[in-house]
Amino acid sequence: MEREIVASYEPKKNNEIRMFESSDEMATDLAEYISQVSEISIKERGYFAIALSGGPLISFMRKLCEAPYNKTLDWSKWYIFWADERAVAKNHVDSYYKSTKEDFLSKVPILNGHVYSINDNVTVEDAATDYEFVIRQLVKIRTVGVSESNDCPKFDLILLSIGSDGHVASLFPNHPALELKDDWVTYITDSPVPPPERITFTLPVINSASNIAVVATGEDKAKAVYFAISDGAEGPDAPSIPARMVQPTDGKLVWFLDKASASFLEAKTKNDGYEHPKY
Ligand SMILES: O=C(O)[C@H](O)[C@@H](O)[C@H](O)[C@H](O)COP(=O)(O)O
């Protein structure tokens, strides 16, 4: 007898879930997705303002440095930001700027003047204030768009990766930074994942983006992914998963999942007697 397939998780409105068999397939699709979003943004606004973050993201963007994208994309219209950054020197091994420069920026013709990295010569608090100021200037002249629902910047694309605790950017479970409503950029000094000092976009800024993509790889993300994606998922940990609070106001959210990170979702969907662990 055929098993009944029931979708026992309900993806939220404006959420799309893409699952991949291999890292290569994910990288191919992510490059195509970023390319399409950049083309649409440049056509509609004349610019492409993209915010990056850490984790495996940059390696998944590797195909943008190859044909056809290295030749076809209008790189002169790209503006680079970071949704979060570790407060370390730009040449420090922990710096997202450093790894992004080495693995992406040095391989494509993005203009140096369009790369907005964090000031690494000041305290983490001042770095957050400076970064918000810079973004405010760019919103004024509309290099970065503005949200129709609030005065937040409307990045064309914010790329995030998810940690095993469900953190996105440098927004960690139960951290007061999750509650901020008026700040665009904030700082933390107590990150549970080292290094402790970081700056991060706040949830209102993330959720005001036109497009958000979250990349998840590895079985250690399966629980967080399930709680983040599934509206109906319950459990004491569920409400504290920061990735669950990522929900674009007017934009669209796409999840890029490898098989391991999607394993709880798939098990729940198949209704094949799999007893989902209770959290
Ligand atoms: O310092 C951090 O906050 C981490 O580097 C984090 O941002 C990372 O993106 C996730 O932990 C996923 O990374 P992996 O998929 O490599 O586990």
Side-chain angles (χ1 to χ4, degrees):
M1 201 181 92
E2 249 184 51
R3 280 185 182 135
E4 189 196 358
I5 308 289
V6 292
S8 58
Y9 70 91
E10 280 183 36
K12 298 170 192 160
K13 202 170 120 262
N14 296 335
N15 281 209
E16 180 188 335
I17 299 166
R18 303 186 185 183
M19 294 183 199
F20 302 93
E21 292 287 332
S22 69
S23 143
D24 197 62
E25 279 177 35
M26 194 196 282
T28 300
D29 195 59
L30 187 67
E32 183 54 27
Y33 165 82
I34 297 171
S35 149
Q36 286 174 6
V37 176
S38 79
E39 279 181 18
I40 292 168
S41 307
I42 293 166
K43 207 168 150 201
E44 288 178 354
R45 297 201 316 109
Y47 306 102
F48 178 49
I50 176 174
L52 309 171
S53 39
L57 260 178
I58 300 301
S59 83
F60 278 109
M61 288 169 66
R62 62 185 179 267
K63 299 207 177 189
L64 287 173
C65 310
E66 300 167 5
Y69 305 112
N70 56 351
K71 298 273 186 292
T72 56
L73 290 182
D74 193 352
W75 296 105
S76 66
K77 306 286 183 359
W78 280 50
Y79 288 75
I80 305 288
F81 302 83
W82 276 265
D84 72 320
E85 174 62 289
R86 296 156 168 179
V88 292
K90 282 194 177 67
N91 59 2
H92 191 283
V93 64
D94 285 339
S95 160
Y96 292 155
Y97 171 81
K98 179 181 159 69
S99 49
T100 309
K101 174 97 186 155
E102 286 171 359
D103 296 336
F104 179 59
L105 297 173
S106 62
K107 298 181 178 173
V108 290
I110 291 174
L111 300 170
N112 282 338
H114 291 184
V115 176
Y116 290 90
S117 57
I118 278 92
N119 186 347
D120 61 344
N121 289 314
V122 294
T123 63
V124 63
E125 182 175 1
D126 288 347
T129 309
D130 280 9
Y131 207 48
E132 180 168 320
F133 180 78
V134 167
I135 295 171
R136 282 191 187 275
Q137 304 313 305
L138 293 166
V139 168
K140 263 190 205 149
I141 57 170
R142 296 291 187 268
T143 305
V144 176
V146 65
S147 161
E148 294 88 34
S149 338
N150 51 42
D151 74 338
C152 273
K154 186 173 188 178
F155 285 91
D156 299 305
L157 176 58
I158 298 185
L159 286 174
L160 302 169
S161 61
I162 181 172
S164 53
D165 59 356
H167 82 264
V168 286
S170 284
L171 296 168
F172 291 89
N174 303 312
H175 196 283
L178 288 164
E179 308 299 329
L180 295 172
K181 300 274 180 286
D182 298 325
D183 301 85
W184 290 0
V185 180
T186 193
Y187 68 99
I188 64 168
T189 55
D190 55 359
S191 165
V193 181
E197 296 196 338
R198 290 143 178 261
I199 70 124
T200 182
F201 282 3
T202 57
L203 280 172
V205 170
I206 292 175
N207 287 334
S208 296
S210 296
N211 297 278
I212 307 171
V214 187
V215 171
T217 54
E219 202 176 349
D220 61 316
K221 318 296 185 315
K223 179 183 102 174
V225 163
Y226 171 65
F227 282 141
I229 288 179
S230 174
D231 245 352
E234 280 169 22
D237 284 352
S240 64
I241 300 282
R244 195 178 163 109
M245 302 166 203
V246 174
Q247 194 50 52
T249 320
D250 303 308
K252 211 180 151 219
L253 167 59
V254 183
W255 286 87
F256 290 80
L257 308 177
D258 70 352
K259 270 189 91 77
S261 71
S263 55
F264 283 12
L265 287 175
E266 290 198 303
K268 290 293 274 181
T269 309
K270 283 187 186 129
N271 190 27
D272 54 5
Y274 173 90
E275 265 307 304
H276 187 69
K278 299 264 182 297
Y279 291 95

